[in-house]
Amino acid sequence: MDRAVAQPRGPAGPAPAPAQPARRLIRPQTEAVTPPDATRDSERRPLALVTGATGYIGGRLVPELLAAGFGVRAMARHPERLDGRPWRPEAEVVAADAQDPDQLRAALDGVDVAYYLIHALGSGPRFEASDRRTARVFATAARESGVGRVVYLGGLHPETDDLSPHLESRTEVGEILLASGVPTAVLQAAVIIGSGSASFEMMRYLTERLPAMVAPRWLDNRIQPIAVRDVLRYLVGAARLPAEVSRTFDIGGPDVLTYRQMMQRYAAVAGLPARVIRTLPVLTPRLASLWVGLVTPVPSGLARPLVESLIHEVVVKEDDLRRYVPDPPEGLLGFDASVELALQRVREFEVSTSWSSAGTAGAPSDPLPEDPDWAGGSLYVDERETVVDASPADLWRVIEGIGGAHGWYSWELGWVARGLMDRLFGGPGLRRGRRHPHELAVGDALDWWRVERIDEGRLLRLRAEMRLPGLAWLELVTDRDDAGRTVFRQRAIYHPHGLLGQVYWWGVLPFHGLVFGGMQRNIAAAAREAAHEAAGGRR
């Protein structure tokens, strides 16, 4: 049964910011908050709040803190996205928006150390204003809640007034937190090497896909990369700094390399021939980021601030944090060993978090309303169902394996063309792939979709993060009819924004038979084939 219908819908100040602090402040403030150890029960585990817990660093920091003996409260706007994390039963999870003072104060209540891992990187031309506003709200809430320490992971940068917007914003956020009156440790890192980090994935795909390339001349600027393992160790250690320590710390690995050298050494570790790299003085960060967006899974909106940061030499100027957080017995992890470890994680499908773990900037973040009379306009629905000659379990295996290398069981040319268009407009396209070839969890990125809900064996709901003038979801459901037969139900849901959203829906409607109809037929056929193969194996 195929039908596309429109369902009509019924009709449906922030506080003033404090003055901007002085630049590059590193001294502690005289009105620092009393450390919690002096007033709280010393027998209990110290409590750490991790903001950005759905992100790359935050998702990896939580289990490290738990292992170090901390109680952990993980904060997320949509806590359901943390349900599939292995550490979820051991941590307290709270829902809070970092720009809502009341929600923040509730999340910070009783907290000893708060990790600020929030940024609006790649969210558009106004990301600096968003970062500034959020940092000020957080700084005020941390002070009012009596938090003992704030730890922030910022960006390593040279001492110059001509920083890239990304590094300038990271620096400003650190200064706002340092001026909060709460003892603060601002850790400043350059390129982080680890499976799933945006910087690593950008370098990885550029090196693997381009045996020869033309690059900007600042590819020869010096960089001091650091392994994600060592970043996490420093973050955990910073929680136990003396209360009088409130300042910035540079952190970096043992190697200082140019980006050209990093790519060549990556190629050597990965078993690839040496790359041919030529530099040009006229390749701007904007052009370079567009090229990165086309060649790698990292969308151009995220690639641009990363590329712009490479115009600076970023080498640590001091290593004072090592006095408080000593090196491990084996020493800091070098670049080659970091790459080898990251590639091993990729090959073994053990990438616990990635740059795509957090929602795509500018993509819809609200879940699908359960109320069919969702107020505010029209909701368009394309519904299809097919009786499948297979068990629900056979059908579910196909559904759970959709996307990535398995594709979308549909009009391939149409999906590729739409994915390329999405990349050109700064969206994720199809190159994000899957975290694991066979398993999905709530919050996983899946090409240009995000897994919003899974009812194991029955329902997979995906939320679109592609660039389009509206909100969209795709539901794939296994069911049984009254006769006990397996039924595959498929529902595409679209909520248009304005006239352009209406035009988009009616413009793509003629292709629904190819896209969604083909998907319906081919998934059902794949389930039948899997069932027959399984039956043959049992005979």
Side-chain angles (χ1 to χ4, degrees):
M1 176 179 68
D2 297 358
R3 60 190 178 93
V5 298
Q7 299 175 353
R9 308 189 317 172
Q20 184 170 333
R23 305 299 291 162
R24 288 164 182 74
L25 176 66
I26 63 171
R27 294 183 179 274
Q29 300 300 291
T30 56
E31 58 215 44
V33 172
T34 302
D37 297 354
T39 57
R40 293 178 183 160
D41 182 5
S42 59
E43 297 300 317
R44 70 170 178 82
R45 293 191 302 169
L47 179 61
L49 175 76
V50 177
T51 64
T54 59
Y56 175 68
I57 293 293
R60 296 188 180 208
L61 179 60
V62 170
E64 296 294 327
L65 288 167
L66 290 168
F70 286 84
V72 177
R73 181 179 293 162
M75 185 182 107
R77 282 186 299 169
H78 300 283
E80 67 276 2
R81 297 182 190 173
L82 299 173
D83 288 348
R85 303 295 174 93
W87 47 260
R88 175 64 179 85
E90 301 178 60
E92 177 188 358
V93 175
V94 295
D97 187 327
Q99 294 191 2
D100 186 308
D102 292 335
Q103 291 182 11
L104 263 184
R105 281 190 291 268
L108 288 163
D109 182 49
V111 165
D112 298 293
V113 55
Y115 285 89
Y116 189 81
L117 302 174
I118 300 168
H119 59 80
L121 180 64
S123 62
R126 299 179 181 175
F127 76 91
E128 301 103 315
S130 177
D131 275 341
R132 183 182 307 117
R133 181 171 58 253
T134 307
R136 286 174 173 168
V137 172
F138 186 88
T140 300
R143 182 177 65 250
E144 293 175 348
S145 301
V147 171
R149 173 165 295 282
V150 170
V151 181
Y152 169 59
L153 180 60
L156 190 61
H157 59 86
E159 291 298 332
T160 175
D161 292 328
D162 189 27
L163 294 176
S164 70
H166 167 219
L167 288 180
E168 181 70 23
S169 178
R170 289 295 186 95
T171 304
E172 182 183 21
V173 167
E175 293 167 352
I176 291 171
L177 297 175
L178 283 163
S180 66
V182 179
T184 297
V186 175
L187 277 53
Q188 301 181 145
V191 173
I192 296 176
I193 304 298
S195 58
S197 83
S199 297
F200 176 75
E201 293 300 309
M202 187 171 78
M203 178 183 64
R204 171 189 168 202
Y205 280 93
L206 284 173
T207 307
E208 291 184 353
R209 292 179 173 175
L210 299 175
M213 68 193 80
V214 176
R217 63 183 176 185
W218 27 265
L219 212 68
D220 291 319
N221 287 345
R222 296 187 307 153
I223 301 168
Q224 192 161 353
I226 183 171
V228 67
R229 183 190 72 172
D230 290 322
V231 172
L232 295 171
R233 189 173 53 81
Y234 280 134
L235 286 169
V236 173
R240 295 191 169 102
L241 288 171
E244 66 271 13
V245 176
S246 187
R247 52 165 289 187
T248 61
F249 292 96
D250 292 351
I251 59 173
D255 300 313
V256 177
L257 306 164
T258 67
Y259 203 85
R260 182 200 298 266
Q261 291 171 327
M262 288 167 59
M263 294 179 73
Q264 295 291 18
R265 286 174 67 164
Y266 175 94
V269 172
L272 301 171
R275 285 7 219 167
V276 178
I277 304 174
R278 298 290 181 264
T279 58
L280 289 176
V282 294
L283 195 57
T284 66
R286 174 175 171 75
L287 290 175
S289 63
L290 290 174
W291 177 243
V292 169
L294 288 174
V295 174
T296 80
V298 181
S300 57
L302 177 57
R304 183 169 181 178
L306 296 176
V307 169
E308 287 176 338
S309 298
L310 298 176
I311 66 177
H312 305 293
E313 288 206 340
V314 281
V315 178
V316 300
K317 299 175 288 297
E318 47 80 16
D319 59 0
D320 296 349
L321 188 57
R322 296 167 79 174
R323 299 204 309 263
Y324 302 100
V325 187
D327 292 349
E330 67 276 14
L332 300 178
L333 203 61
F335 178 82
D336 291 2
S338 302
V339 170
E340 187 173 359
L341 183 60
L343 290 178
Q344 179 183 343
R345 295 282 188 268
V346 171
R347 287 192 294 265
E348 295 175 356
F349 308 112
E350 293 183 357
V351 182
S352 57
T353 64
S354 76
W355 62 270
S356 60
S357 298
T360 298
S365 59
D366 294 335
L368 175 67
E370 299 294 344
D371 183 359
D373 295 325
W374 188 27
S378 296
L379 192 66
Y380 295 109
V381 181
D382 182 291
E383 293 182 294
R384 301 166 191 269
E385 67 177 48
T386 300
V387 174
V388 183
D389 185 17
S391 70
D394 292 322
L395 176 58
W396 178 253
R397 279 192 292 272
V398 177
I399 290 174
E400 193 175 24
I402 201 167
H406 296 153
W408 290 88
Y409 297 90
S410 185
W411 181 33
E412 185 174 358
L413 179 60
W415 282 82
V416 170
R418 183 63 178 86
L420 179 59
M421 183 187 306
D422 194 53
R423 301 289 294 183
L424 290 173
F425 284 93
L430 295 174
R431 289 212 176 100
R432 290 193 304 188
R434 297 173 53 107
R435 174 186 57 84
H436 191 282
H438 308 297
E439 300 172 359
L440 287 177
V442 172
D444 276 0
L446 182 58
D447 292 331
W448 63 46
W449 305 92
R450 177 80 55 183
V451 179
E452 181 174 284
R453 177 176 169 181
I454 297 178
D455 294 346
E456 188 64 32
R458 180 184 173 274
L459 166 69
L460 173 63
R461 179 186 293 163
L462 307 174
R463 185 184 67 256
E465 292 189 336
M466 70 187 84
R467 300 297 189 194
L468 76 170
L471 309 177
W473 294 265
L474 178 64
E475 286 186 344
L476 306 176
V477 177
T478 66
D479 204 351
R480 286 191 183 275
D481 62 12
D482 294 339
R485 299 175 301 177
T486 299
V487 177
F488 172 35
R489 293 194 171 91
Q490 177 181 300
R491 188 166 71 135
I493 306 156
Y494 179 65
H495 170 52
H497 286 171
L499 178 60
L500 185 59
Q502 301 280 345
V503 171
Y504 177 85
W505 170 263
W506 295 110
V508 300
L509 186 61
F511 300 99
H512 279 196
L514 284 172
V515 176
F516 296 122
M519 180 185 295
Q520 178 87 13
R521 293 187 296 272
N522 293 332
I523 287 178
R528 284 194 296 269
E529 183 178 349
H532 293 158
E533 288 178 357
R538 289 192 294 266
R539 286 199 291 267

